[in-house]
Amino acid sequence: MKTLYKSLALTVAVIGLSSCVNEWLDLDPSTGAPSSSAIVTYNDAKTAMYGMYDGLQGNSTYTEYYAARMFYYGDVRGDDMQARTQGMRSSSCYEMRYGEDDAPSIWNVPYNVIRRANRIIEAVDNGAIADKDDYEAEVNSIYAQAKVVRALVHFDLVKIYGMPYTADNGASLGIPIVTTPLTIDALEGRKTVAEVYTQVVKDLTDAIDMNALPVSTKPGENQGYIDQWAAKALLSRVYLYMNNDKGAFDMAEDVIKNSPYQLWAMNQYAAAWDKSDANHTSEMIFELINSGSDDWADREGIGYLYNEDGYADAICTKSFVDMLSQDANDVRINVILPVQMKQNEDGTSSDMYKTYGDNRIFIDKFPMGSEGDMRLQNLPILRLSEMYLNAAEAAMKLGNTSDAAYYLNELIQNRTTTSSQQVTASNVSLERILLERRKELVGEGQRFFDAMRNNETIVRYEDENNKGWHYSLNADSRKFDRTYFRALLPIPVSEVNANSVLREQQNPGY
C-alpha cells in the first residue's frame, strides 16, 4: 500500500475530452482512456485504486479538480485571496462575470473519479474478484477506500453546483448521484442536496463501520491513501456542512484524541509544508502524493499558480494580510511571502514590487522545498488543524462554550505566543472561531465554502477608497452572499445541451 499510486496506474494513451453527452461517464480519470477493462483479480482492483487516487489530482490536461481548480475556486471566490490581475487562470472564478457558455467547470474529472470508484465497488459487490478469498483484507480495504473517495467527490460537487445544505435543509437541487458505472447514453438528472448528502454520509459510515480501512498508528504510515482517520475527518467536515454539530464534534474529537496525528508546533509550522520536512506528516491526515514529473500538473498545477517563481496567478488580499499581520507573533504569516524580484536588470523596481512593495502576498503552502520545485509538493486535503476548528465551531453551535474555547486555544497556542489571542468560555464566539479558520486554512480552498454554509457576506471591496489590491470587479461581485446566482456554477453547457433532463434543471440565473 505504500507504493505510490501514480507509478502503478494504467499506462495507456491519453485521448482528449469530447463534448458528447455524458462524456464524464465513459472516461478513465487518470488517463482519459475508456475505462472498460474488467476488474477480476486483486491486482486489477489495486491498479484501479491507483488510477482512482491519481484521478483526484489529474494532470496538465485535467486540472479542473485537485490539480488546481478545486483549490483556487475555494480561495479566490472568497475575501482572503484574489486573482493577481486580469487574464490569470483563476480570474474567471474570481471575477464571477461568466454566463452558462463561458463558466469554469469542475465536472468531468470529478465524475470520472466517481466512475473509477464505482467500478471497484461494483466488482466487489458482484463477486467478480476471483481471488478475493486469498486477499480478503486487502480487497475490503480497497473497497472501503473507494466508498470514501466516492463520498468525497459527490460532496465536492454538491458544494459547487448546489445551494448550501444550511440554506434550506437540502431541499434545492444538487447534482446527479452516480453509484453505478453508467452507459454513455444515460440521461441522469439532479437529486436534491439532501439526497446527495444522504449518499455521502452513507458511503462514509459504511466504509468506517466495515473496519476495513487502514488504521494508521503513526503519521505517514499510509501516506497518500484513505485510512480510518481520514474517513472520520471527512465525515466531521460533512456533518459540519449539514449543521449536524453533534456528529461533527464527535468525529473531530475522535480524530484529535485517538489518532496519531499532532498539531505542528510554532517552530515547525513554516518548514513543515515541505513534504521532505521531518514533521510534514504529523498533521497531514490525507494528502495527494506527488513523487515525480509524471505526477505533477506541470505549469498548470496549484503550486505553480500560487508561487512567484511560477505564474504568480493568485495572491492574498490586502484585507487578509492586514488582518493576519495584526499579530506579529503569528507564525502563519511566515507561509505568506513578499515579492522576491524587487528590481529589473536595469535597476528599476519591478512592476510587482511597485504594486505590493514589501507586503506578503504569495501563499507558500506549496514551497520550492528541498527538491527545488513547487510542482513536486503534495496536495493537502485533510489536516488535523481543521479537526480542532471543526470541534470548536460545532461545540460553539451546540452552546458548549467550554469545549469551544478549549479546542480553539489548543490551535492558537501552537500558532502564536501572544497570550491575548486566546479565548475563554465567556468570550469565545462563532465569529472568532471562523476568523481563526480563515487564518489557518487560507490557500487550501475552503474559505468560500465556509462563508456560504455559514451565510456570511463576502466583501472584496465596496468602493474605490478601500479597493486594496483588487482590480476592478462588477458591482455584484464586489460584495455578495449565497443568494447571488453566480455563487453556484452553472451545469456545464455541453451537458445541458445534450441532456434534456439536466437542461430543465439548470441553476437559476443562467
Side-chain angles (χ1 to χ4, degrees):
M1 291 296 291
K2 294 182 181 179
T3 306
L4 295 173
Y5 37 79
K6 177 68 182 189
S7 62
L8 293 178
L10 294 174
T11 55
V12 295
V14 175
I15 63 174
L17 289 175
S18 68
S19 60
C20 62
V21 59
N22 292 346
E23 59 193 76
W24 43 276
L25 297 177
D26 199 43
L27 297 176
D28 179 290
S30 65
T31 64
S35 53
S36 57
S37 55
I39 300 175
V40 296
T41 68
Y42 161 60
N43 281 330
D44 293 338
K46 185 167 59 172
T47 300
M49 179 190 70
Y50 298 140
M52 175 185 71
Y53 277 114
D54 187 54
L56 283 170
Q57 174 171 339
N59 53 36
S60 58
T61 302
Y62 306 114
T63 58
E64 67 181 58
Y65 202 15
Y66 281 108
R69 189 167 293 169
M70 191 68 192
F71 282 103
Y72 68 69
Y73 180 92
D75 285 328
V76 303
R77 290 168 69 84
D79 40 11
D80 296 337
M81 291 191 70
Q82 63 173 88
R84 184 171 56 83
T85 188
Q86 290 180 320
M88 300 282 96
R89 284 152 180 79
S90 62
S91 292
S92 179
C93 290
Y94 166 64
E95 294 167 5
M96 301 173 75
R97 292 172 173 157
Y98 45 74
E100 181 186 60
D101 293 335
D102 61 349
S105 171
I106 310 178
W107 184 274
N108 288 342
V109 173
Y111 272 112
N112 287 339
V113 178
I114 288 175
R115 178 173 176 82
R116 174 61 86 176
N118 283 339
R119 292 182 64 240
I120 295 171
I121 294 167
E122 181 186 58
V124 177
D125 283 342
N126 291 347
I129 311 296
D131 55 354
K132 183 178 184 296
D133 289 345
D134 297 328
Y135 299 97
E136 185 171 6
E138 293 86 348
V139 171
N140 286 341
S141 176
I142 291 171
Y143 178 84
Q145 290 175 65
K147 286 214 163 186
V148 177
V149 169
R150 186 170 73 180
L152 170 65
V153 183
H154 276 108
F155 176 57
D156 286 340
L157 285 165
V158 80
K159 291 187 300 181
I160 296 165
Y161 293 99
M163 285 291 288
Y165 189 101
T166 54
D168 54 9
N169 289 320
S172 54
L173 285 178
I175 55 163
I177 298 173
V178 181
T179 56
T180 59
L182 301 179
T183 60
I184 191 67
D185 57 350
L187 299 179
E188 291 297 296
R190 300 171 72 179
K191 304 298 185 182
T192 67
V193 169
E195 288 175 304
V196 179
Y197 271 83
T198 296
Q199 180 63 49
V200 169
V201 171
K202 182 180 186 306
D203 276 343
L204 289 172
T205 53
D206 284 352
I208 292 168
D209 292 346
M210 281 181 65
N211 292 317
L213 291 166
V215 181
S216 300
T217 57
K218 60 182 180 181
E221 186 175 0
N222 292 283
Q223 189 182 22
Y225 298 97
I226 299 285
D227 69 357
Q228 190 83 339
W229 307 118
K232 290 181 176 182
L234 179 57
L235 185 55
S236 173
R237 184 188 290 179
V238 171
Y239 280 150
L240 200 66
Y241 275 66
M242 298 175 68
N243 268 1
N244 180 349
D245 297 313
K246 178 65 164 57
F249 181 84
D250 288 347
M251 286 295 106
E253 191 171 56
D254 187 357
V255 175
I256 292 168
K257 289 186 174 181
N258 300 314
S259 80
Y261 302 100
Q262 295 182 335
L263 290 172
W264 291 326
M266 280 184 290
N267 64 346
Q268 298 170 342
Y269 186 83
W273 288 97
D274 182 357
K275 70 177 186 181
S276 65
D277 186 83
N279 299 301
H280 174 77
T281 58
S282 296
E283 224 185 87
M284 289 292 180
I285 299 174
F286 176 51
E287 60 182 343
L288 298 176
I289 301 296
N290 273 329
S291 63
S293 60
D294 58 343
D295 283 314
W296 68 36
D298 199 48
R299 289 175 174 82
E300 301 299 325
I302 192 64
Y304 210 79
L305 267 58
Y306 281 2
N307 197 292
E308 181 185 356
D309 291 324
Y311 284 140
D313 191 294
I315 61 172
C316 292
T317 61
K318 188 175 187 301
S319 59
F320 177 79
V321 172
D322 289 347
M323 177 266 291
L324 187 58
S325 300
Q326 290 175 7
D327 180 6
N329 298 317
D330 195 320
V331 296
R332 288 170 293 202
I333 197 68
N334 296 324
V335 294
I336 305 176
L337 303 180
V339 173
Q340 302 298 309
M341 196 183 82
K342 303 183 187 307
Q343 289 187 332
N344 299 315
E345 291 182 359
D346 62 3
T348 60
S349 294
S350 68
D351 288 342
M352 276 201 286
Y353 189 68
K354 287 178 184 177
T355 302
Y356 307 110
D358 292 319
N359 288 289
R360 294 174 179 268
I361 59 172
F362 292 111
I363 290 288
D364 196 36
K365 292 185 175 181
F366 308 92
M368 296 291 283
S370 60
E371 295 181 293
D373 197 322
M374 79 291 286
R375 294 171 293 183
L376 282 170
Q377 293 299 337
N378 298 339
L379 306 178
I381 309 299
L382 292 160
R383 288 198 294 126
L384 185 64
S385 56
E386 182 189 344
M387 295 302 101
Y388 280 86
L389 291 163
N390 287 3
E393 181 179 340
M396 190 71 208
K397 290 176 176 177
L398 289 167
N400 183 350
T401 58
S402 178
D403 277 340
Y406 171 76
Y407 283 113
L408 189 62
N409 284 335
E410 285 293 293
L411 178 65
I412 291 172
Q413 70 184 9
N414 281 282
R415 300 296 181 257
T416 180
T417 55
T418 305
S419 58
S420 61
Q421 290 293 316
Q422 296 193 24
V423 299
T424 66
S426 61
N427 67 17
V428 66
S429 66
L430 180 60
E431 291 73 20
R432 179 68 179 83
I433 294 167
L434 295 180
L435 181 64
E436 201 65 33
R437 194 174 183 94
R438 290 171 62 185
K439 294 178 183 179
E440 182 67 25
L441 301 177
V442 64
E444 297 176 63
Q446 297 207 43
R447 169 58 186 160
F448 172 74
F449 299 117
D450 284 338
M452 294 300 99
R453 67 181 174 82
N454 281 303
N455 199 22
E456 295 182 71
T457 297
I458 294 291
V459 180
R460 273 85 171 266
Y461 68 95
E462 296 186 77
D463 57 58
E464 295 296 322
N465 295 324
N466 65 0
K467 197 172 181 180
W469 298 318
H470 293 285
Y471 59 86
S472 294
L473 297 171
N474 290 344
D476 52 5
S477 295
R478 297 174 192 171
K479 180 180 179 180
F480 63 92
D481 59 22
R482 65 192 186 189
T483 64
Y484 179 34
F485 79 93
R486 288 194 179 96
L488 301 182
L489 285 184
I491 304 300
V493 67
S494 60
E495 297 298 330
V496 299
N497 284 346
N499 185 333
S500 59
V501 179
L502 288 178
R503 186 184 308 126
E504 299 301 318
Q505 297 178 325
Q506 181 60 283
N507 278 326
Y510 294 104

